[in-house]
Amino acid sequence: MTLLDYLASHVLAFVLVAGLLGLVVGSFLNVVIHRLPKMLEHDWLRQAREMLHPDEPQPAQPVYNLVLPHSHCPHCQAEIKPWQNLPLISYALLRGRCGNCRERISPRYPLVELLTALLSMLVAWQYGFGWPAAGILLLTWALVALSLIDADTQLLPDAIVLPMLWLGLIANSFGLFTDIHSALWGAVFGYLSLWSVYWLFKLVTGKEGMGYGDFKLLAMLGAWGGWQVLPLTILLSSLVGAILGIIILKARGDSNSTPLPFGPYLAIAGWIAIIWGDWITGTYLRFAGF
Ligand SMILES: [Zn+2]
């Protein structure tokens, strides 16, 4: 019996493996969440300089990508050694402090690792071993990264959203989650629905309620789940947004009027709608007496 056969026939073993994988991926997502917005900003500045001063040579930039430079303590700049980079374990062993200068490390790093592991286990449990689980794991990891990047910087990078949109269409060309027509129209209507809301809102109030990143994110969710997941996604995102919005506003005081990003709510709602949408709608219709 090969390892793959074993995982296919033992759900708990697969859930455990998905959890361990989730810890490692969560550790990588921390890097993506922290560095990708900075990489994009460096790139925009370089392009802007190129356009404004095409004749001047570009100033030399230090290498900065997802791999280099190696992670270091933001306080004392000491490089993080490999054994200090183990997800969760290192944070617990170091008691949440830098191994060199003892400065506190943000608990967000282990929390992202833990969250990614738990969500991965849930997906493994729900789908069992196979291609659908692999697809939804990838989607889940992308949504974790997108939610936190949007919460930090109000950006939903195309570098993640667009490849994931294509991947959803490709997966559904094999009918993995829905048929290819539903997926295609899911992407189109996902984009157009929020785009129309955006313009309506702008024409009526003169303000911008959301960004183009949100349209693309909903297009991506539609590409994975098909157009059928869009109504529930929009409904749930308003619900999640209203609940979390009130909690966040209460927590930081009403004086702060910076707009709350919509991306995380869309991501949470879309994730639920893609995985449990049929069950939620079915249960609702039964209770409503249809
Ligand atoms: Zn340090």
Coordinates of all heavy atoms in Angstrom, one line a residue, residues 3 120 200:
L3 N 1.7 5.4 0.2 CA 1.3 6.5 1.1 C 0.0 7.1 0.6 O -0.9 7.4 1.4 CB 2.4 7.5 1.2 CG 2.0 8.8 2.1 CD1 1.9 8.3 3.5 CD2 3.1 9.8 2.0
S120 N -7.1 24.1 6.9 CA -6.7 23.0 6.0 C -7.2 21.7 6.5 O -7.7 20.9 5.7 CB -5.1 23.0 6.0 OG -4.6 24.2 5.6
L200 N -23.0 52.6 -9.3 CA -24.3 53.1 -8.7 C -24.0 54.0 -7.5 O -24.5 55.1 -7.4 CB -25.2 51.9 -8.4 CG -26.7 52.2 -8.5 CD1 -27.1 52.5 -9.9 CD2 -27.5 51.0 -7.9

